[in-house]
Amino acid sequence: MKISVLLLLTLAASAEVPTPESVLGHKPGDDFYLATYDDALGYFRKLAASSNRIKLAQVGKTTQGRDWYIAFISTPENLAKLDHYKDVSRRLAVARGINEAQARQLAHETKPIIHIDGGLHATEVANAQHTIQLGYDLATNEAPDYKTIRENLITELWFSINPDGQNIVANWYRQNVGTPYEVSPLPVLYQEYVGHDNNRDGYMLNMIESRVVTKATLETQPLVFYTHHQTAPFPGRIYLPPFADPISGNMHPNMLRWLSVIGTSIAQYLDQHGMPGSMHQESFDVWYPGYLDNMPNFRHTISFFTETALYRYATPHFYTIDEFPQTRQDMRAEMLYSSPWHGGWWRLADACRYMHGASMAVLDLAAKYHEEMTYNKYRAARDTIEHFEKEPPFAYVIPREQHDAPTAAVLIEKLMLQGIEVNQSAKPDAWVILMNQPFAGMVKELFEPQKYPELKQRPYDVTGWTLPYQMGVEAHAMTTPLTPEFRRGLEPITSVRGLAAPFNHNANASLRAVNQILAAKGTVAFAGDEIAVSNLDKSKLDSILAENRLRAVATKETGKSVKAARTALYRSWSANMDEGWTRWIFEQFAFPFTNVYNADIIGGHLRDRYDVILLPDAQPRTILEGHRPGTIPERYAGGIGEQGSDALREFVSEGGTVIAFNNASLFAIDQFKLPVENSLAALRPDQFFCSGCLLKVHIEDAKNPLAAGLSLDPIVMFERGPAFDTKPEFKGVVLARYPKERSPLQSGYLLGPDHIQGKAAAVDVAYGKGHVILLGFRPQWRGQSHGSYKFFFNAMYLTQ
Ligand SMILES: [Zn+2]
């Protein structure tokens, strides 16, 4: 009798909690249906209103201004003490003031937090659909495994970590479903500025979303950070840790051990629940640290992604065995692909089912081993502190007086956002990062030059990223133990204060100030590296300079007055991330600009409207031809074509400037028939290869206004780009060249350096009355390479 009353009560209670389909009208994962973020949020609000096992929390706003919510799911008792458990997590994470016995006791008592999210790549649609069902099940399911998870853990469920993108993609699909364009590619970026690069901003934190996630992660210090992606190596159904080599040497080994345990546990769980096809250790390595779902490893949160198979959007697809790679058609079991997938239908519901299983496997494992995992997180922090007490580098010193001091301040602020402790030293006047701190491995990872190991496998992403090199910031590693006097002279700081660098061309921030002065109708003149301002109220000028951490300096020459260029930034329908990064940097540095599309370029008369047209990195064919007609709604098909190329030639002939980034240079060389050649064009990948590394170039003529403020030997991000030879009939200037006598490599992996030695990296080609500026590298790569921004910033003042 008692039992049936309880049963009735439970049924009554759960009957009030709405299922996803009762609110959305669809079960998440249904064919041809995608919930938007707004739909998901609407559902989670109802879920939270009807269950005391789930609490919503606003973490911030998105780039496009949406209210961004996440859910904490556990027992009501645990949720009532959420702040307490967050506090314990943070204390254990830094391993300070807690001894071994206390750490073990806290690990025993606490309810740790596990982060699971609905992914940031919005076209990988199952990510954010599966979290809706997962949220419902975690809050309502009465099966023993769900109960154990609720009792032992607090799940931090980010039903989307790209709310803007989820809306953009779901709305795009809704408008095309049932038409010939149902599976056509998205013609815009699914993060306002950076699209698919939104997971590669993990240490730089340029985007609002990266900052929101990082801030929240520092607050909850989860044990596990699990991000869902979709694009498994075919025919695998889900790609799991252990990942491919190489991996960073600066993570605590505990993180990697747990990654392997988690990955194989997921595979075992999926096999056991009738979901074959788990695969490990192919294609994706974790050498590049910048993935948002990798960075928390350096804070000793076990962080990883998985890649579930994807067709396109919510459209199902039938796979036959003859589509499989030859080597995998015989269904042979392999050590790390032991339950081969046999083909057949693959639907969104399948992807959601695999993800749900994978998320549950992680929670099951953490519910069992939470005590060990919690202690390990503490232990990793303690080990890191102890390691750098004994081993170099003992500190990094960043002088406050340097070539571009405001950019050095930006670097310091990035570290602070990551939870890195920074000190101010009085003598020398410098910022000091002591390495005996819990997350010091991250600092080493970002500051040291990368040495890529000799491996057969080609790197998946870039191989060198050393931030002081990229940003043109002077930083010194202290390799001998620090003296007590040095330590005594340090004061911990939480913000950069009192910096006022000379207002001249050396600082990128000076050009931001110039743009603000021009916008305020002031007059600006350039003479070499000097900048003179007139016709502006002194208090206005002072406030602009202070805002940019600059101070006025006396100038010797009057110089040549400059004005704000009328700038066009080419935006294609190929959803070009490099365009987005450029747009973001223009906004950050207050450069006025207009986006121009194919039709605007084809329309011609460009010189009437613009002084500068910037072509972001793209393959020549993409610029010319764009999307093939028939593959996308008509207004997004095609490129600028012959007509657009004509218009660009006319624009430069009449005195305009075209700036071409990286492979867009090849478009300019072809279409303008420039007397320049790509010296790397004929080389095979076994002769020359670079998927992204840092190379030194030399400025040929420091007096050239296009080189103003650049250091004499700037470091550039070279990524699958060209290098230039000029032909005898060349008219113009080689701005920068790779050194002739030695390899230009500073950080990362470069195969066949002799092929690039002595070649031109940046050229200003004279064409008609105008200029074509070719930059054979990534001058603003992912908003990181501040040290080479001036290569295009300066060109913005060329046409006057
Ligand atoms: Zn992805």
Side-chain angles (χ1 to χ4, degrees):
M1 186 62 191
K2 214 172 173 185
I3 290 168
S4 52
V5 169
L6 262 180
L7 195 70
L8 277 172
L9 280 174
T10 314
L11 280 175
S14 64
E16 291 163 18
V17 181
T19 61
E21 51 270 53
S22 72
V23 174
L24 302 172
H26 293 270
K27 198 171 162 58
D30 274 357
D31 287 348
F32 311 111
Y33 169 75
L34 292 177
T36 62
Y37 169 75
D38 300 338
D39 295 335
L41 177 57
Y43 172 68
F44 273 96
R45 281 190 202 278
K46 291 200 164 123
L47 186 60
S50 58
S51 165
N52 54 6
R53 293 171 178 170
I54 170 168
K55 227 181 192 171
L56 291 193
Q58 185 170 5
V59 285
K61 280 191 184 277
T62 66
T63 300
Q64 294 181 345
R66 286 190 177 82
D67 290 330
W68 191 355
Y69 282 89
I70 66 171
F72 290 97
I73 308 175
S74 190
T75 61
E77 296 73 31
N78 291 343
L79 289 180
K81 290 171 70 183
L82 180 59
D83 287 340
H84 165 74
Y85 293 126
K86 282 186 190 174
D87 187 54
V88 172
S89 295
R90 285 195 297 267
R91 285 169 59 206
L92 284 167
V94 295
R96 287 216 174 102
I98 298 177
N99 64 27
E100 172 76 18
Q102 289 166 323
R104 292 208 181 262
Q105 186 59 34
L106 284 171
H108 180 70
E109 290 168 3
T110 199
K111 307 291 178 184
I113 297 165
I114 307 291
H115 165 121
I116 292 184
D117 69 59
L120 20 63
H121 288 162
T123 47
E124 299 164 11
V125 290
N127 306 341
Q129 305 297 312
H130 109 279
T131 47
I132 302 172
Q133 187 68 41
L134 184 67
Y136 171 73
D137 290 341
L138 287 174
T140 61
N141 201 303
E142 298 299 339
D145 50 343
Y146 284 92
K147 276 190 173 157
T148 310
I149 289 168
R150 279 194 297 269
E151 277 157 18
N152 292 337
L153 308 172
I154 298 166
T155 305
E156 180 182 339
L157 183 69
W158 294 62
F159 38 99
S160 176
I161 43 173
N162 180 3
D164 293 347
Q166 188 179 346
N167 271 17
I168 291 168
V169 170
N171 288 326
W172 169 250
Y173 184 67
R174 281 178 189 181
Q175 113 198 15
N176 294 324
V177 74
T179 75
Y181 304 114
E182 181 167 308
V183 296
S184 64
L186 186 72
V188 295
L189 294 163
Y190 55 63
Q191 192 280 351
E192 176 66 28
Y193 297 103
V194 304
H196 197 75
D197 264 354
N198 64 347
N199 74 328
R200 285 154 166 91
D201 188 38
Y203 57 76
M204 209 59 185
L205 306 182
N206 285 321
M207 295 298 122
I208 287 173
E209 283 78 4
S210 321
R211 289 186 186 203
V212 166
V213 173
T214 302
K215 184 166 170 271
T217 305
L218 281 165
E219 212 178 288
T220 56
Q221 282 292 350
L223 280 188
V224 174
F225 186 106
Y226 177 12
T227 297
H228 285 269
H229 286 256
Q230 275 190 285
T231 319
F234 189 72
R237 292 298 91 190
I238 185 167
Y239 178 73
L240 302 165
F243 298 126
D245 278 313
I247 47 141
S248 162
N250 293 317
M251 285 178 200
H252 193 282
N254 274 358
M255 300 304 113
L256 303 167
R257 293 296 185 200
W258 277 110
L259 279 188
S260 299
V261 172
I262 289 176
T264 44
S265 300
I266 296 174
Q268 187 275 336
Y269 182 104
L270 294 177
D271 279 354
Q272 195 183 326
H273 290 80
M275 292 177 264
S278 291
M279 203 180 246
H280 317 255
Q281 232 170 30
E282 297 202 11
S283 15
F284 304 101
D285 61 54
V286 271
W287 180 247
Y288 176 61
Y291 304 110
L292 194 65
D293 36 26
N294 181 36
M295 280 309 282
N297 276 312
F298 296 97
R299 285 189 288 264
H300 319 303
T301 287
I302 306 155
S303 306
F304 68 103
F305 61 92
T306 61
E307 299 270 355
T308 303
L310 168 69
Y311 177 57
R312 282 176 223 162
Y313 308 105
T315 298
H317 188 71
F318 191 88
Y319 291 95
T320 56
I321 306 291
D322 54 12
E323 288 172 78
F324 286 20
Q326 203 81 53
T327 50
R328 288 208 156 116
Q329 291 194 356
D330 61 359
M331 303 297 147
R332 190 171 48 82
E334 300 167 34
M335 190 65 215
L336 294 175
Y337 182 50
S338 47
S339 55
W341 184 58
H342 286 239
W345 279 106
W346 186 253
R347 326 183 89 93
L348 179 59
D350 294 315
C352 288
R353 198 160 48 89
Y354 273 65
M355 288 181 179
H356 191 287
S359 295
M360 282 302 291
V362 172
L363 292 168
D364 266 357
L365 189 81
K368 266 189 208 116
Y369 295 109
H370 60 97
E371 193 171 331
E372 291 85 340
M373 289 167 110
T374 304
Y375 172 75
N376 269 314
K377 186 170 159 75
Y378 158 83
R379 186 56 196 267
R382 201 180 81 188
D383 288 352
T384 306
I385 295 171
E386 285 172 4
H387 172 87
F388 288 105
E389 296 277 0
K390 297 187 208 103
E391 301 285 331
F394 297 98
Y396 286 96
V397 175
I398 297 124
R400 279 169 59 107
E401 201 177 308
Q402 54 172 294
H403 185 80
D404 182 353
T407 296
V410 170
L411 174 57
I412 294 298
E413 285 171 338
K414 302 283 181 189
L415 296 175
M416 287 174 170
L417 290 173
Q418 294 285 3
I420 300 296
E421 302 156 0
V422 180
N423 289 275
Q424 167 73 48
S425 137
K427 225 171 140 186
D429 183 15
W431 295 292
V432 175
I433 299 151
L434 295 175
M435 290 296 277
N436 59 339
Q437 58 174 300
F439 315 142
M442 180 191 297
V443 181
K444 187 158 174 284
E445 179 79 6
L446 298 178
F447 274 53
E448 71 184 358
Q450 278 72 50
K451 286 195 183 70
Y452 192 80
E454 280 304 322
L455 289 176
K456 262 203 211 125
Q457 175 153 320
R458 284 279 148 78
Y460 177 65
D461 205 300
V462 304
T463 57
W465 49 83
T466 317
L467 271 186
Y469 289 0
Q470 282 203 76
M471 297 178 77
V473 169
E474 187 187 332
H476 309 283
M478 305 275 276
T479 52
T480 52
L482 309 173
T483 62
E485 299 92 278
F486 181 81
R487 283 187 189 274
R488 274 199 298 273
L490 301 178
E491 183 206 340
I493 54 166
T494 51
S495 64
V496 169
R497 289 189 309 258
L499 185 73
F503 177 42
N504 62 30
H505 250 89
N506 288 356
N508 286 344
S510 295
L511 297 177
R512 183 168 185 269
V514 164
N515 294 335
Q516 291 170 325
I517 292 164
L518 291 172
K521 309 277 184 243
T523 305
V524 177
F526 290 169
D529 287 350
E530 293 186 348
I531 302 171
V533 177
S534 50
N535 298 326
L536 188 70
D537 181 68
K538 186 173 177 314
S539 67
K540 177 76 186 164
L541 176 62
D542 287 347
S543 89
I544 290 176
L545 294 186
E547 182 198 328
N548 289 290
R549 292 177 170 147
L550 299 164
R551 66 168 194 274
V553 284
T555 53
K556 287 179 222 102
E557 294 171 53
T558 333
K560 192 170 165 268
S561 74
V562 293
K563 60 179 198 253
R566 298 170 303 161
T567 301
L569 173 61
Y570 172 57
R571 187 166 181 172
S572 74
W573 297 118
S574 65
N576 184 345
M577 293 180 275
D578 204 51
E579 180 279 325
W581 279 116
T582 312
R583 178 159 37 93
W584 181 75
I585 290 168
F586 276 172
E587 288 178 11
Q588 296 298 306
F589 283 86
F591 281 102
F593 70 97
T594 311
N595 266 129
V596 288
Y597 296 82
N598 293 331
D600 302 308
I601 295 204
I602 292 167
H605 307 290
L606 297 166
R607 189 68 188 99
D608 301 344
R609 281 172 289 154
Y610 304 112
D611 302 310
V612 174
I613 297 179
L614 194 145
L615 303 176
D617 181 24
Q619 291 302 328
R621 209 177 136 162
T622 310
I623 300 173
L624 273 174
E625 298 173 22
H627 291 291
R628 224 165 4 95
T631 61
I632 195 164
E634 202 182 325
R635 64 176 289 231
Y636 305 111
I640 68 165
E642 269 309 307
Q643 248 182 304
S645 297
D646 278 344
L648 287 174
R649 282 190 293 269
E650 188 182 283
F651 167 74
V652 181
S653 299
E654 293 171 0
T657 300
V658 161
I659 308 172
F661 284 177
N662 210 38
N663 287 311
S665 302
L666 303 175
F667 163 85
I669 292 172
D670 291 350
Q671 295 303 316
F672 287 75
K673 306 229 179 323
L674 301 178
V676 176
E677 261 175 358
N678 172 17
S679 38
L680 307 173
L683 298 169
R684 297 187 313 265
D686 61 329
Q687 296 171 309
F688 181 86
F689 180 81
C690 178
S691 65
C693 66
L694 300 179
L695 303 183
K696 186 168 266 190
V697 297
H698 184 74
I699 299 296
E700 294 282 285
D701 172 15
K703 295 229 167 347
N704 188 316
L706 288 172
L710 280 162
S711 72
L712 270 187
D713 298 286
I715 289 172
V716 300
M717 171 59 80
F718 181 89
E719 193 202 20
R720 303 169 203 267
F724 309 115
D725 277 317
T726 53
K727 294 186 189 170
E729 64 270 34
F730 171 77
K731 280 198 205 74
V733 183
V734 171
L735 296 168
R737 206 180 270 289
Y738 297 103
K740 199 170 180 132
E741 309 304 334
R742 59 196 155 78
S743 168
L745 183 63
Q746 301 299 303
S747 184
Y749 175 69
L750 174 68
L751 177 74
D754 47 315
H755 293 290
I756 201 168
Q757 285 172 217
K759 304 297 178 192
V763 291
D764 168 16
V765 194
Y767 185 93
K769 289 188 214 155
H771 299 257
V772 180
I773 293 172
L774 309 176
L775 303 177
F777 48 88
R778 306 284 305 271
Q780 38 48 304
W781 182 75
R782 295 181 188 165
Q784 299 182 20
S785 39
H786 292 244
S788 57
Y789 284 1
K790 288 185 210 91
F791 274 107
F792 66 105
F793 281 6
N794 289 338
M796 307 290 290
Y797 307 98
L798 184 65
T799 319
Q800 298 291 334

